[in-house]
Amino acid sequence: MSKAIKTLAVLTSGGDAPGMNAAIRAVVRTAVFYEKRIFGIKRGYDGLIEGDFEELNSKSVKNILNLGGTILKSARSEEFKTEAGQMKAYEQLQKHGVDGLIVIGGNGTFTGAHRFFEAHGVPVIGIPGTIDNDLFGTDYTIGYDTATNTVVDCIDKIRDTASSHNRLFFVEVMGRDSGFIAMNTAVAIGALDVILPEQNKSYEDLFVEIEKGASNKKTSNIVVVAEGNKLGDSFSIANKVREHFPQLDTKVTILGHLQRGGAPSCFDRVTASKLGVAAVEGLLNGRFDVMAGMVDEELTYTFLQQAVMNKAQLDPEMLRISKILAI
Ligand SMILES: Nc1ncnc2c1ncn2[C@@H]1O[C@H](COP(=O)(O)OP(=O)(O)O)[C@@H](O)[C@H]1O
Ligand SMILES: O=P(O)(O)OC[C@H]1O[C@](O)(COP(=O)(O)O)[C@@H](O)[C@@H]1O
Ligand SMILES: [Mg+2]
């Protein structure tokens, strides 16, 4: 274990995700366990550039394990994408004597962290925290489990009213470029169909599924729409469907940011705790420029660049299962 690293810092970046606080807690307590100093950096890379640092101890992270959001706050920083911004960030780390950085975030955060490591050689390690689950090198990103449970809970409620009125609902879920939330919740709520960013679905394909649902005399039909899909936003999709099936009573619900809030599930808390410990121990053992992740229940370290570039792939079997069960 490296004695060279004496002072660590942790930040959260990109979209917040339930379980980020559990990861912060694990990072801070593990650092304290190994007798290292630990700073919390506020507002992601913006706070890093501006020197918004606060020294933390084990008591600073009491009673946050169960909280959604992130006590460190998060940001999307345009300045960190520039060389000048990265230089300012490096100078802040030097000023505070930080010799190891832990970033909790998603693919954008890791892209920035890898560039930072290449430009300034700062030992950096990532913890996957995003509801999108779009990183290679971990089966689950922190926040994904809670977000999908929230979506299922919401769609179950929509189903009640949809059935009472014999309606067709398009429910839009998050996932900027990734269909994980949509695909898994579609199976979990028994969707008629799902529209994913990873697919080249046509309106004709969609109309065939809706026709099937209508001819089977179902009392309610729900199509789960991933936000980043190629057909369009859920309102324009619903309008096209109304033109084609004017007899159907068609509604749209966009679940939006409520998917990112709420207390983290047990699974997200446990994953965050494991990965928080693994990130600090990884850094202290000389593992830099990598993300700590869980694959088949095993702790793994994957290079940040690979975690981003290889992108987690949807299981095509899920689409097949969804289709079989929608008859
Ligand atoms: N190419 C890049 N170079 C430097 N920083 C980047 C780059 N891409 C993203 N980032 C930083 O990471 C932040 C978070 O990325 P974003 O995509 O918004 O969220 P997430 O990390 O959750 O995917 C961005 O606001 C930016 O500061
Ligand atoms: O909160 P914002 O800035 O509107 O961003 C919305 C995006 O953030 C997410 O919730 C999470 O994405 P990231 O983890 O990549 O930030 C996406 O699903 C969604 O497209
Ligand atoms: Mg992302």
Side-chain angles (χ1 to χ4, degrees):
M1 183 129 332
S2 161
K3 290 216 171 21
I5 292 186
K6 292 192 167 63
T7 306
L8 300 170
V10 57
L11 59 79
T12 48
S13 162
D16 64 319
M20 278 185 165
N21 280 325
I24 295 167
R25 170 181 176 271
V27 165
V28 170
R29 296 219 163 147
T30 310
V32 171
F33 179 83
Y34 287 109
E35 298 176 351
K36 306 296 173 188
R37 289 182 76 193
I38 173 93
F39 285 99
I41 300 172
K42 301 278 179 64
R43 297 179 291 113
Y45 292 132
D46 276 344
L48 175 57
I49 290 168
E50 292 163 27
D52 200 354
F53 288 44
E54 184 188 336
E55 187 154 1
L56 304 173
N57 57 43
S58 62
K59 290 281 174 289
S60 321
V61 290
K62 68 173 191 226
N63 295 338
I64 65 165
L65 184 59
N66 56 328
L67 299 182
T70 156
I71 59 159
L72 291 177
K73 301 195 181 288
S74 194
R76 302 193 197 275
S77 167
E78 282 309 307
E79 198 178 354
F80 194 69
K81 292 182 179 169
T82 67
E83 282 179 22
Q86 294 223 342
M87 177 54 83
K88 284 191 204 166
Y90 177 65
E91 285 165 1
Q92 289 293 353
L93 290 180
Q94 295 283 94
K95 187 172 148 192
H96 291 83
V98 172
D99 33 34
L101 177 66
I102 295 139
V103 296
I104 306 171
N107 51 357
T109 301
F110 293 171
T111 304
H114 171 67
R115 278 191 54 204
F116 194 47
F117 173 77
E118 289 219 304
H120 299 286
V122 175
V124 60
I125 197 160
I127 298 178
T130 167
I131 64 165
D132 284 359
N133 203 38
D134 53 357
L135 290 161
F136 173 79
T138 194
D139 290 339
Y140 299 102
T141 59
I142 297 163
Y144 171 69
D145 183 63
T146 308
T148 48
N149 280 311
T150 301
V151 169
V152 166
D153 192 38
C154 290
I155 302 184
D156 284 348
K157 292 184 167 93
I158 291 170
R159 175 77 77 182
D160 290 345
T161 174
S163 300
S164 305
H165 288 267
N166 286 353
R167 280 174 171 160
L168 166 65
F169 264 83
F170 288 88
V171 182
E172 185 176 307
V173 300
M174 277 186 166
R176 207 191 319 224
D177 306 301
S178 160
F180 273 94
I181 296 176
M183 185 69 260
N184 281 282
T185 59
V187 170
I189 62 92
L192 174 70
D193 202 3
V194 56
I195 308 177
L196 305 167
E198 290 85 349
Q199 284 172 313
N200 284 315
K201 200 180 182 78
S202 66
Y203 275 105
E204 287 65 40
D205 298 335
L206 176 63
F207 294 161
V208 167
E209 297 307 321
I210 293 174
E211 183 72 60
K212 269 195 229 157
S215 57
N216 283 349
K217 298 206 173 1
K218 291 191 174 187
T219 56
S220 65
N221 283 301
I222 292 171
V223 177
V224 179
V225 181
E227 131 187 78
N229 83 84
K230 298 189 185 94
L231 271 187
D233 66 85
S234 42
F235 282 107
S236 37
I237 294 174
N239 280 339
K240 285 255 195 244
V241 168
R242 281 191 194 102
E243 280 167 24
H244 200 84
F245 299 100
Q247 75 282 15
L248 296 182
D249 190 359
T250 303
K251 299 279 178 186
V252 175
T253 301
I254 297 178
L255 296 183
H257 286 85
L258 66 80
Q259 294 165 86
R260 288 233 299 261
S265 64
C266 173
F267 184 82
D268 276 330
R269 294 181 203 196
V270 172
T271 306
S273 301
K274 285 181 180 170
L275 296 183
V277 173
V280 173
E281 291 186 338
L283 262 187
L284 298 182
N285 284 317
R287 288 183 185 271
F288 312 145
D289 196 26
V290 294
M291 173 195 82
M294 300 297 298
V295 176
D296 294 336
E297 305 288 316
E298 291 286 328
L299 174 65
T300 55
Y301 295 97
T302 303
F303 281 109
L304 290 176
Q305 217 177 4
Q306 281 180 15
V308 172
M309 289 190 21
N310 291 345
K311 201 172 181 263
Q313 299 297 318
L314 278 181
D315 180 1
E317 182 65 2
M318 289 294 284
L319 260 183
R320 200 178 71 86
I321 290 170
S322 171
K323 252 204 163 78
I324 290 174
L325 301 182
I327 55 172

